[in-house]
């Protein structure tokens, strides 16, 4: 179970801020990452994605040591809060780039792209430009790209923060469905305790560049002994 | 309805006055051109001579544009891909420098490097190549246009690249795109929309370039319309030919302006703002080497002429030059013209802005009022359509029967300089004043603040900075300008650029170098003052 994601004595200094992460997250689970703004949630994700390289320690993703690897060589897919799609390219191309970064696609690939769009509820939208879609539809298209990439780990940085509350619930449902189908490991940064409750099997609380708590979601939501966590949960 | 009735009426009156004055000034010049010996001029529009000049004007402008924009692209891509390149901030600042440098002085620097006795030809000679690069003629004009426009195009392209969301670069790295794919899917789509606008702008600048062609071109084989107009009047005294050429010039600029209006306008918002995205693509050694080469080549190309101006200028006896009667007289003339032009520009733009504000404040402006507001905007850019040399030619023809044209020359030069600065100054002042109004108009109106009290307590403290910015920019432009003064320059009217130019023509290059250094530093300081304030005005 521990071959999901492992950060082994990772240390990193950015500017004047120090980060120390040491944890092992089980594979096939949805783990929520929370914490106050500026605590290091995004940095945590960036270390796993390869956008930050630790000064010390090792990073393992899906049992593989990726510490020295370029972001493109790591077995992960990414979903950001916004700008997940290249605005000047249609949905088919945007999703297709997930399969081949030079867009050399076989007929099977093309079929897979259309199926993925279908799966996230955007069937027939191949030729549409991102600008003509709603915020929720754009995030769905980003999910479709993650689907065709078929990587064991999905990293999401507040993917639903720009959506209104009703939409967040249905998007969370879609995410869980896809997660059950693929059995991937999901890491999701969120500011919303309700979202944590809806989605996560486990949760991480980061404060001042350190992991203050790592626990199953139920236990996490019941903890009352960390003041800043309490503040977060009551928000 | 935030202005009082009186304020609105005064605003319209100010706007009307400025509009009428500019329109009249330009119209008199154009009418004088059109009515001058009309038959003679018309039959001269399409002669073998004008045809050749026209062809060369467009041909060199096209080549200059292709070279400037084409070579700017790899430099911009490299700079965007290397946010951590050593001294990157300074290199990006260097890109803004040629725009603030008087054209005449840049040309001197280029001659110092690429001229017959310059560094490059010396190097080629030691390498055993005795085919020197010529700084005169087409190759020199292209080189000089590249010196001024390649950095401009690079800045605009870089700004377009840096406006892309940071996620795009993260995504393309995470998806494993190679440089070619990043270019195809991210970089090219980002720049392809701005390239036509940048191209049109550079083409416009090169098609109407006067000073560079005057210095490096000349001769029937390498003359543009603007220089040909000047030569027709100044050397051959052939007004009909000047008129014919001036009419051609107006048609050409009109067509280019129309094209520019239809294309998306490039802007350099974002460039040099320090906002750089992190890039994870192009880490291969070959890409890194290529980027370093592109950045370094551009940097060296820009720095060498600047260094040459400095080195040559320091060899002159600066103290003697600065205390010489000729310098002091020219400096005084230049300063008076620049200050008059600067103040005139400020007053005219404030009047135009007041007029536009008054119309914007009306609840339901009549079509005529809306048209008036649009016309005011157009008037501020009239000089782009009717270039300084053409204006000068027209007024030359008007004043010539009155006797000595030289008497009116300083005033004419100041007004023409004012018209040249107006489009830029409007771009600084109008947004600053508009933002200020949005912040304070309601409060001022509810407190009943108006007139001198509002001016003193509310407007001046905030607007002083953009006003100073605009003034220093307009003065820098006037101080460095040779175009307007070229037609009227004489022993009675010697400005600093004219002094440099005449020293150069009489082969006193040492003096010219020293004067150029001093003038260049003054203009650069004023421009830096102008541009740093502009960012502040836009952000704050």
């Amino acid at each position: 179970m521990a071959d999901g994601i492992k950060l082994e004595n990772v240390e990193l200094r950015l500017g004047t801020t120090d980060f120390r992460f040491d944890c092992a997250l089980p594979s096939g689970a949805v783990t929520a990452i929370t914490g106050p703004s500026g605590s290091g949630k995004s940095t945590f994700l960036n270390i796993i994605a390869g956008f930050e390289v630790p000064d010390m320690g090792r990073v393992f993703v899906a049992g593989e040591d990726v510490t020295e690897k370029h972001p493109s060589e790591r077995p992960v897919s990414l979903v950001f809060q916004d700008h997940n799609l290249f605005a000047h390219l249609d949905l088919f191309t945007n999703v297709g780039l997930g399969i081949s970064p030079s867009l050399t696609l076989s007929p099977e690939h093309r079929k897979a792209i259309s199926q993925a769009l279908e799966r996230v509820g955007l069937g027939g939208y191949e030729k549409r430009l991102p600008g003509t879609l709603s915020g929720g539809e754009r995030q769905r298209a980003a999910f479709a790209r993650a689907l065709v990439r078929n990587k064991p780990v999905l990293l999401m940085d507040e993917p639903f923060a720009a959506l209104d509350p009703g939409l967040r619930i249905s998007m969370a449902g879609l995410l869980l469905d896809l997660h059950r189908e693929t059995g991937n490991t999901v890491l999701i940064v969120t500011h919303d305790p309700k979202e944590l409750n809806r989605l996560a099997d486990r949760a991480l609380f980061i404060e001042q560049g350190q992991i203050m708590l790592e626990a199953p979601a139920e236990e996490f939501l019941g903890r009352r002994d960390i003041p800043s966590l309490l503040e977060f949960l009551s928000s | 309805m935030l202005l009082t009735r009186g304020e609105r009426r005064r605003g319209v009156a100010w706007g009307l006055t400025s509009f009428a004055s500019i329109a009249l000034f330009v119209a008199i010049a154009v009418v004088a051109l059109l009515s001058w010996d009309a038959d003679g001029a018309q039959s001269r529009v399409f002669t073998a001579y004008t045809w050749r000049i026209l062809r060369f004007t467009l041909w060199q402008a096209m080549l200059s544009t292709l070279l400037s924009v084409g070579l700017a692209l790899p430099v911009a891509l490299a700079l965007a891909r290397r946010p951590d390149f050593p001294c990157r901030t300074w290199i990006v600042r260097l890109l803004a420098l040629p725009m603030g440098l008087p054209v005449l002085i840049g040309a001197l620097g280029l001659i110092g490097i690429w001229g017959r006795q310059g560094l490059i030809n010396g190097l080629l000679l030691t390498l055993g190549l005795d085919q020197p690069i010529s700084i005169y003629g087409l190759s020199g004009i292209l080189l000089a246009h590249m010196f001024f426009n390649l950095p401009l195009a690079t800045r605009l392209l870089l700004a377009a690249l840096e406006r892309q969301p940071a996620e795009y670069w993260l995504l393309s790295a995470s998806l494993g795109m190679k440089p070619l794919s990043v270019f195809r899917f991210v970089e090219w789509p980002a720049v392809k929309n701005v390239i036509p606008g940048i191209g049109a702008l550079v083409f416009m600048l090169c098609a109407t370039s006067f000073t560079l062609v005057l210095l490096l071109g000349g001769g029937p084989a390498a003359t543009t319309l603007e220089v040909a107009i000047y030569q027709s009047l100044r050397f051959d005294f052939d007004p009909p030919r000047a008129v014919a050429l001036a009419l051609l010039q107006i048609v050409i600029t009109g067509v280019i302006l129309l094209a520019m209006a239809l294309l998306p306008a490039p802007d350099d918002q974002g460039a040099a703002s320090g906002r750089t995205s992190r890039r994870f693509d192009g880490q291969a050694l070959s890409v890194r080497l290529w980027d370093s080469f592109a950045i370094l080549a551009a940097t060296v190309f820009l720095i060498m002429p600047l260094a040459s101006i400095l080195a040559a200028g320091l060899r002159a006896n600066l103290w003697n030059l600065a205390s010489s009667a000729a310098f002091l007289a020219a400096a005084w003339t230049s300063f008076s013209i620049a200050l008059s032009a600067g103040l005139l520009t400020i007053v005219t733009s404030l009047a135009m802005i007041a007029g536009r504000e008054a119309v914007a404040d009306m609840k339901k402006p009549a079509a005529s009022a809306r048209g008036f507001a649009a016309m005011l905007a157009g008037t501020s850019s009239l000089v782009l359509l009717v270039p300084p040399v053409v204006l000068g030619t027209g007024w030359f023809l008007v004043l010539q029967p009155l006797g000595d044209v030289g008497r009116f020359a300083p005033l004419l030069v100041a007004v023409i300089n004012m018209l040249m600065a107006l489009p830029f100054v409007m771009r600084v002042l109008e947004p600053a004043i508009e933002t200020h109004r949005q912040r304070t108009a309601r409060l001022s109106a509810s407190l009943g603040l108006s007139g001198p009290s509002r001016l003193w307590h509310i407007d001046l403290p905030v607007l002083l900075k953009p006003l100073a910015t605009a003034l220093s920019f307009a003065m820098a432009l006037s101080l460095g300008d040779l175009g307007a003064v070229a037609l009227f320059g004489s022993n009675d009217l010697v400005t600093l650029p004219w002094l440099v130019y005449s020293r150069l023509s009489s082969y006193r290059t040492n003096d010219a170098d020293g004067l150029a250094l001093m003038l260049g530093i003054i203009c650069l300081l004023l421009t830096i003052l102008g541009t740093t304030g502009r960012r502040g005005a836009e952000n704050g």
Side-chain angles (χ1 to χ4, degrees):
Chain A
M1 280 295 271
D3 62 354
I5 290 164
K6 197 158 109 187
L7 271 64
E8 210 174 72
N9 298 318
V10 164
E11 289 186 26
L12 172 65
R13 191 184 185 94
L14 290 177
T16 54
T17 318
D18 284 308
F19 299 92
R20 301 167 76 99
F21 297 121
D22 189 57
C23 64
L25 306 175
S27 83
V30 178
T31 306
I33 300 158
T34 65
S37 328
S39 57
K41 303 186 294 292
S42 293
T43 307
F44 184 79
L45 225 56
N46 281 342
I47 289 174
I48 299 166
F51 297 131
E52 301 289 358
V53 177
D55 304 328
M56 281 215 294
R58 316 294 308 169
V59 180
F60 298 87
V61 176
E64 185 188 353
D65 184 347
V66 296
T67 315
E68 312 290 338
K69 291 207 159 162
H70 187 264
S72 63
E73 298 165 325
R74 302 189 178 203
V76 301
S77 287
L78 295 170
V79 177
F80 304 108
Q81 180 180 331
D82 203 359
H83 302 300
N84 281 298
L85 307 177
F86 296 110
H88 49 274
L89 302 175
D90 62 23
L91 288 200
F92 181 86
T93 312
N94 264 300
V95 176
L97 286 172
I99 297 178
S100 158
S102 58
L103 213 65
T104 37
L105 299 172
S106 66
E108 292 86 65
H109 287 149
R110 294 174 173 274
K111 220 170 105 198
I113 294 166
S114 291
Q115 277 169 352
L117 282 171
E118 187 96 31
R119 177 67 195 85
V120 299
L122 295 176
Y125 278 38
E126 280 85 350
K127 290 285 154 227
R128 294 277 289 270
L129 286 173
T132 67
L133 304 181
S134 71
E137 287 169 332
R138 284 201 288 269
Q139 295 306 70
R140 284 168 187 271
F143 282 178
R145 184 172 56 207
L147 263 181
V148 298
R149 279 173 68 71
N150 199 18
K151 301 285 179 191
V153 173
L154 177 60
L155 304 175
M156 301 200 282
D157 197 348
E158 302 196 44
F160 310 137
L163 308 179
D164 60 58
L167 205 51
R168 279 187 213 171
I169 295 176
S170 68
M171 291 298 287
L174 176 63
L175 172 65
L176 281 182
D177 287 347
L178 297 177
H179 167 65
R180 285 191 202 106
E181 284 166 32
T182 56
N184 59 355
T185 308
V186 178
L187 251 66
I188 176 168
V189 172
T190 176
H191 261 119
D192 181 357
K194 284 200 222 89
E195 199 160 271
L196 192 160
N197 193 21
R198 256 195 309 270
L199 280 171
D201 308 314
R202 301 180 67 81
L204 260 175
F205 189 75
I206 296 180
E207 194 180 16
Q208 292 180 343
Q210 306 220 18
I211 299 168
M212 304 302 282
L213 175 65
E214 194 224 321
E218 245 165 272
E219 186 197 329
F220 187 93
L221 291 167
R223 284 289 278 262
R224 293 285 175 269
D225 53 340
I226 304 173
S228 47
L229 175 60
L230 206 59
E231 203 173 304
F232 164 76
L233 290 175
S234 60
S235 69
Chain B
M1 302 289 269
L2 294 168
L3 300 176
T4 63
R5 196 183 292 252
E7 279 173 330
R8 205 158 44 233
R9 211 173 314 142
R10 274 197 297 277
V12 172
W14 277 112
L16 271 177
T17 316
S18 60
F19 169 72
S21 326
I22 293 180
L24 207 65
F25 184 83
V26 176
I28 288 179
V30 173
V31 168
L33 286 173
L34 287 172
S35 56
W36 176 275
D37 188 16
D39 304 330
Q42 257 162 29
S43 60
R44 300 253 200 145
V45 170
F46 288 111
T47 63
Y49 173 77
T50 52
W51 188 238
R52 198 173 60 223
I53 304 268
L54 177 64
R55 253 199 342 237
F56 181 78
T57 305
L58 298 178
W59 174 238
Q60 61 83 19
M62 201 185 75
L63 288 179
S64 304
T65 308
L66 285 178
L67 283 170
S68 302
V69 181
L71 293 176
L73 186 58
V75 183
L77 290 174
L79 279 170
R81 191 157 38 213
R82 307 280 160 222
D84 299 321
F85 198 82
C87 303
R88 184 183 186 274
T89 325
W90 287 100
I91 294 171
V92 174
R93 280 185 196 154
L94 175 72
L95 294 175
L97 210 64
M99 280 306 271
L101 196 68
V103 176
L104 170 66
I105 293 167
L108 276 181
L110 285 164
I111 294 173
I113 296 297
W114 299 88
R116 200 157 284 270
Q117 265 93 47
L119 199 67
I120 301 286
N121 280 325
L123 218 75
L124 288 179
L125 216 61
T126 37
L127 289 177
L129 297 161
D130 55 350
Q131 200 79 39
I133 298 172
S134 176
I135 185 72
Y136 298 103
L138 181 62
S139 54
I141 293 173
L142 294 183
L143 212 60
H145 279 159
M146 272 164 60
F147 174 76
F148 284 98
N149 295 308
L150 184 141
L152 173 70
T154 307
R155 278 175 68 85
L156 294 171
L157 289 171
L158 184 60
L161 287 168
E162 288 186 347
R163 273 197 299 269
Q164 298 306 302
E167 286 92 340
Y168 281 15
W169 310 117
L170 299 183
L171 268 179
S172 46
S174 168
L175 296 176
M177 290 189 193
K178 299 271 172 293
L180 210 62
S181 292
V182 175
F183 181 73
R184 182 173 153 208
F185 294 117
V186 189
E187 292 167 333
W188 177 247
V191 295
K192 89 169 172 218
N193 290 329
V194 293
I195 280 182
I198 297 173
L201 176 66
V202 172
F203 188 87
M204 177 79 176
L205 291 171
C206 295
T208 56
S209 134
F210 173 78
T211 307
L212 286 176
V213 181
L214 180 68
L215 254 71
L216 305 175
T223 298
T224 56
L225 282 170
E226 295 236 355
V227 173
I229 295 169
Y230 162 80
Q231 286 168 340
S232 307
L233 276 186
R234 186 104 195 179
F235 296 127
D236 310 334
F237 199 74
D238 185 354
R241 197 171 78 198
V243 170
L245 291 167
L247 294 176
L248 265 183
Q249 175 83 69
I250 293 180
V251 172
I252 297 291
T253 43
V255 171
I256 306 173
L257 280 177
L258 199 69
M260 283 173 77
L262 297 176
L263 295 168
D267 74 275
D268 68 350
Q269 278 292 297
S273 65
R275 195 189 77 96
T276 47
S277 299
R278 298 180 59 203
R279 294 282 294 258
F280 299 88
D281 53 321
Q283 299 304 316
L285 185 66
S286 57
V287 186
R288 268 193 247 192
L289 283 176
W290 166 252
D291 283 349
S292 307
F293 169 75
I295 296 174
L296 286 179
T299 309
V300 169
F301 176 66
L302 293 179
I303 274 191
M304 280 197 317
L306 298 173
S308 157
I309 297 166
L310 192 66
L314 289 176
R315 269 202 300 274
N317 191 333
L318 287 180
W319 177 247
N320 274 359
L321 269 179
S323 55
S324 69
F327 173 80
L328 290 174
W332 175 246
T333 310
S334 270
F335 178 75
S336 343
I337 291 180
L339 188 64
S340 322
L343 292 175
L344 258 178
T345 316
I346 300 283
V347 170
T348 314
S349 7
L350 287 180
M352 287 186 149
I353 293 168
R356 283 168 63 80
E357 256 183 358
V359 172
D361 190 59
M362 291 177 189
K363 203 168 177 188
K364 279 190 190 132
S368 60
R370 284 201 308 266
F372 170 60
M375 220 137 74
L376 276 178
T379 311
S380 66
S381 305
L382 210 56
V383 72
L384 299 177
L385 177 65
V386 189
V389 175
V390 176
L391 282 174
T393 311
W395 275 94
F396 188 91
L397 298 176
V398 174
L399 294 175
Q400 202 211 343
L402 300 179
D404 186 13
V405 178
R407 266 188 302 153
F408 308 98
L411 184 65
L412 273 180
V413 172
V415 174
I416 292 177
N417 282 165
M418 178 271 271
L419 287 177
M420 291 163 69
L422 204 54
F424 302 98
V425 166
M426 284 289 277
R427 227 173 289 161
V428 176
L429 283 185
E430 199 164 22
I433 292 182
E434 199 178 320
T435 320
H436 173 63
R437 285 276 176 263
Q438 273 168 8
R439 282 188 197 151
T440 61
R442 280 160 194 282
L443 191 58
S444 300
S446 72
L447 295 175
L449 279 168
S450 68
S453 163
R454 193 181 75 180
L455 185 70
W456 188 250
H457 293 293
I458 312 291
D459 295 343
L460 264 187
V462 178
L463 295 178
L464 208 56
K465 203 173 158 196
L467 283 173
T469 298
L471 181 67
S472 69
F473 183 86
M475 285 185 67
L477 197 139
S478 171
L479 273 179
D481 173 58
L482 184 65
V485 88
L487 275 180
F488 304 106
S490 65
N491 287 337
D492 300 326
L493 180 66
V494 181
T495 63
L496 281 177
W498 183 251
L499 186 66
V500 176
Y501 180 60
S502 45
R503 287 291 149 89
L504 202 61
S505 317
S506 54
Y507 300 102
R508 291 167 68 180
T509 30
N510 202 12
D511 283 5
D513 288 336
L515 293 168
L517 177 62
M518 289 192 278
L519 179 58
I521 289 174
I522 296 171
C523 286
L524 273 185
L525 284 179
L526 280 172
T527 319
I528 290 169
L529 225 67
T531 40
T532 46
R534 189 178 121 200
R535 296 223 176 277
E538 276 168 4
N539 300 337

